[in-house]
């Protein structure tokens, strides 16, 4: 199944661009869809829905969806530069990885915690949180100077699913607002 992040409203504005082939998981597609609306300030936001991971999140119309993000062993549903192609941060991303059948969520978070520490990040302790979609995540926060990277990990069957937000401390309120708008599919 193929999905184009290019929707009619976004295509007209040139705000979003990318295409990705989505794998089937347990016989079902990880259905991602998008449509547009404007917030109370007339700024366009686009809902990005992942029915497999049970969330809809809203990203600004300025978002640039980077094509072919295949970093490490993860498969990215999307990797979006939220202020456009010219601005590498802030970023919102959704990814999943194989290999969860013989590993607990806690073990997976620990591996990521150790990796981030090896890259020079100050890494906080994982915190269990529930987002507005009703799903429980292990949140791991990493900092390096004013740069932050927050991971929201979940185990779904034999896969690990996670949301990532990369941002400068100046964008903290903006990122908190995006996270607060994550709702159930």
């Amino acid at each position: 199944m193929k999905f184009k992040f290019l929707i009619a409203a976004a295509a007209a504005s040139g705000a979003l661009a990318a295409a990705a082939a989505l794998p089937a998981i347990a016989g079902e597609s990880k259905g991602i869809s998008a449509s547009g609306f404007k917030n109370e300030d007339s700024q366009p936001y686009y809902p990005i829905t992942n029915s497999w991971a049970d969330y809809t999140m809203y990203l600004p119309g300025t978002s640039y969806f980077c094509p072919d993000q295949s970093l490490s062993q993860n498969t990215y549903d999307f990797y979006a530069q939220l202020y456009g192609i010219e601005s590498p941060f802030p970023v919102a991303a959704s990814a999943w990885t194989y290999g969860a059948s013989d590993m607990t969520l806690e073990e997976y978070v620990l591996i990521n915690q150790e990796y981030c520490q090896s890259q020079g990040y100050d890494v906080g302790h994982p915190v269990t949180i529930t987002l507005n979609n009703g799903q429980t995540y292990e949140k791991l926060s990493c900092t390096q100077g004013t740069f932050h990277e927050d991971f929201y990990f979940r185990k779904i069957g034999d896969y690990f699913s996670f949301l990532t937000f990369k941002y400068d401390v100046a964008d903290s309120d903006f990122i908190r607002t995006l996270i607060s708008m994550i709702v159930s599919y």
Side-chain angles (χ1 to χ4, degrees):
M1 173 180 169
K2 289 192 181 220
F3 169 81
K4 292 187 179 186
F5 285 105
L6 213 37
I7 58 176
S13 68
L16 305 176
L22 299 179
I25 295 178
E28 294 183 29
S29 167
K30 294 174 33 190
I32 299 175
S33 61
S35 60
F37 75 93
K38 292 186 178 184
N39 70 4
E40 62 276 359
D41 298 324
S42 294
Q43 298 298 316
Y45 275 74
Y46 298 97
I48 304 299
T49 297
N50 185 321
S51 58
W52 173 76
D54 188 29
Y55 71 80
T56 296
M57 67 187 312
Y58 296 86
L59 301 181
T62 55
S63 298
Y64 172 75
F65 287 86
C66 302
D68 302 324
Q69 286 297 323
S70 58
L71 308 172
S72 67
Q73 66 202 34
N74 303 318
T75 300
Y76 280 81
D77 294 322
F78 69 86
Y79 187 98
Q81 294 170 209
L82 301 178
Y83 292 158
I85 194 168
E86 298 299 322
S87 182
F89 299 105
V91 164
S94 172
W96 54 275
T97 188
Y98 297 99
S101 60
D102 60 348
M103 188 182 306
T104 66
L105 178 59
E106 292 76 18
E107 291 169 326
Y108 185 70
V109 171
L110 179 61
I111 288 169
N112 282 278
Q113 184 177 21
E114 291 171 349
Y115 175 77
C116 290
Q117 288 170 333
S118 76
Q119 299 301 303
Y121 286 94
D122 292 325
V123 181
H125 295 286
V127 177
T128 302
I129 65 165
T130 302
L131 297 181
N132 287 334
N133 65 347
Q135 300 296 329
T136 302
Y137 296 80
E138 287 296 313
K139 179 184 178 187
L140 184 64
S141 295
C142 307
T143 59
Q144 200 171 52
T146 63
F147 180 77
H148 292 252
E149 187 164 7
D150 295 332
F151 298 92
Y152 294 81
F153 297 104
R154 243 179 96 208
K155 185 174 181 178
I156 304 172
D158 288 342
Y159 301 87
F160 292 109
S161 173
F162 57 95
L163 298 168
T164 304
F165 299 90
K166 302 176 185 186
Y167 57 98
D168 187 88
V169 69
D171 292 314
S172 295
D173 289 341
F174 172 62
I175 295 298
R176 272 193 294 275
T177 298
L178 291 181
I179 294 167
S180 74
M181 293 191 302
I182 295 173
V183 295
S184 183
Y185 161 71

